[in-house]
Amino acid sequence: MRRWWQDLTDLVLPTDCGGCGRPRTVLCPRCRAALSRRAPRRVRPVPEPAGLPAVYAAAPYADAARAALLAHKERGALALAHPLGTALAGAVRAGLLGAGAGAEAGAGPAGGAVLLVPVPSARRAVRARGHDPGRRIALAAAAGLRRSGTPARALAVLRQRRAVADQSGLTSRQRLENVAGALEVAAGGARLLLGGPVVLVDDVMTTGASLTEAARAVTTAVYTARVREGMRERKSRSTQKEGNSLYGPPERAAEYGAGDVVCAAVVAASPDSFGIDRN
């Protein structure tokens, strides 16, 4: 009931800018520009975890961008999901272009709609906040991509399989250890992931630990799904020669990027990660 009432009041009552506090605006022009002042670009945390996909960010996690993200996440400023989703959509487009996945306006990847897979928040955090900010922003980003001509959908298939400690105050190595093996793809989710190229999405990247674990969980689930589909296909073809077919993906996986983690995209990343560009 509390969240329903918050959704309603966000729509009908005046609010303050989520970035600077300016009255009677969700996000003032100046703070909105902070999310789009620069083109989304490739970012790398230091140190960069092994297994982290290429990450693209719309803005540094500082000043107005940081304030807006915190207002949306911690204070329930739900109307900010639209401008934050717009920024995330820009980072997704940059990532698809960087991966050569055909994100030009009006074109979609050959392997199907782009699947935006949000990194899930801890269950206790969702209960405390009354919403899942990452999923909400992913939905807004998918809608923005569709409006611009890129087929996309948000696919919230990742789940926490065990509790993790609060990441704040942990070092990069401790964060990796904290989330290692913590995520899994929900039952039936792996087959959905075979419907198109996967872009992992989150609101913020600091050390990259969460995105690395998300990539591991998705890759593992997709590999298992491909093996199972391959086994079913072999059983239905009695004349097929025996071989090491565990590594022979089904025909659908041959489409560009279908089921593969193409890249990751975030609204904002730590300022230090913008300081390294090895492209």
Side-chain angles (χ1 to χ4, degrees):
M1 176 65 74
R2 182 177 68 86
R3 180 51 52 197
W4 173 85
W5 180 252
Q6 181 67 57
D7 285 344
L8 180 61
T9 54
D10 278 350
L11 291 173
V12 301
L13 296 180
T15 186
D16 296 335
C17 172
C20 65
R22 180 178 175 179
R24 301 183 67 83
T25 180
V26 172
L27 199 64
C28 73
R30 181 176 180 181
C31 292
R32 195 178 294 268
L35 293 172
S36 58
R37 183 176 298 121
R38 66 179 75 193
R41 57 173 290 182
R42 174 82 181 270
V43 291
R44 291 179 169 93
V46 182
E48 185 173 358
L52 178 69
V55 183
Y56 290 77
Y61 186 55
D63 305 325
R66 179 177 184 274
L69 283 162
L70 288 175
H72 177 259
K73 177 184 287 186
E74 305 296 349
R75 299 201 301 275
L78 304 183
L80 287 168
H82 182 268
L84 294 175
T86 298
L88 180 60
V92 171
R93 290 190 197 95
L96 292 172
L97 287 171
E104 299 86 358
V114 179
L115 304 177
L116 306 188
V117 177
V119 175
S121 299
R123 293 186 182 94
R124 64 179 179 275
V126 173
R127 288 194 298 269
R129 294 167 180 154
H131 76 122
D132 187 333
R135 183 176 182 178
R136 190 178 290 271
I137 295 174
L139 287 167
L145 288 166
R146 291 193 298 271
R147 285 193 296 270
S148 69
T150 299
R153 61 180 294 206
L155 199 61
V157 295
L158 284 174
R159 300 285 187 272
Q160 285 201 333
R161 59 189 298 267
R162 64 168 177 82
V164 297
D166 187 350
Q167 295 273 70
S168 60
L170 299 182
T171 65
S172 298
R173 182 173 180 177
Q174 289 170 334
R175 289 189 178 206
L176 283 170
E177 293 172 349
N178 184 40
V179 300
L183 298 179
E184 64 181 359
V185 172
R191 290 183 63 83
L192 296 176
L193 290 170
L194 294 177
V198 174
V199 178
L200 302 173
V201 296
D202 207 351
D203 53 356
V204 179
M205 183 193 72
T206 50
T207 65
S210 295
L211 288 170
T212 299
E213 169 58 15
R216 181 208 63 78
V218 167
T219 301
T220 300
V222 167
Y223 174 80
T224 302
R226 286 175 174 171
V227 168
R228 288 174 178 169
E229 286 199 7
M231 292 176 67
R232 284 194 294 268
E233 183 179 348
R234 290 193 307 277
K235 288 180 180 179
S236 66
R237 296 182 180 180
S238 58
T239 58
Q240 182 175 347
K241 183 183 290 187
E242 292 293 332
N244 186 12
S245 52
L246 281 180
Y247 299 94
E251 293 178 359
R252 188 174 185 185
E255 298 174 352
Y256 179 81
D260 294 329
V261 176
V262 177
C263 63
V266 296
V267 177
S270 59
D272 290 345
S273 66
F274 280 80
I276 297 179
D277 189 357
R278 302 176 211 144
N279 284 340

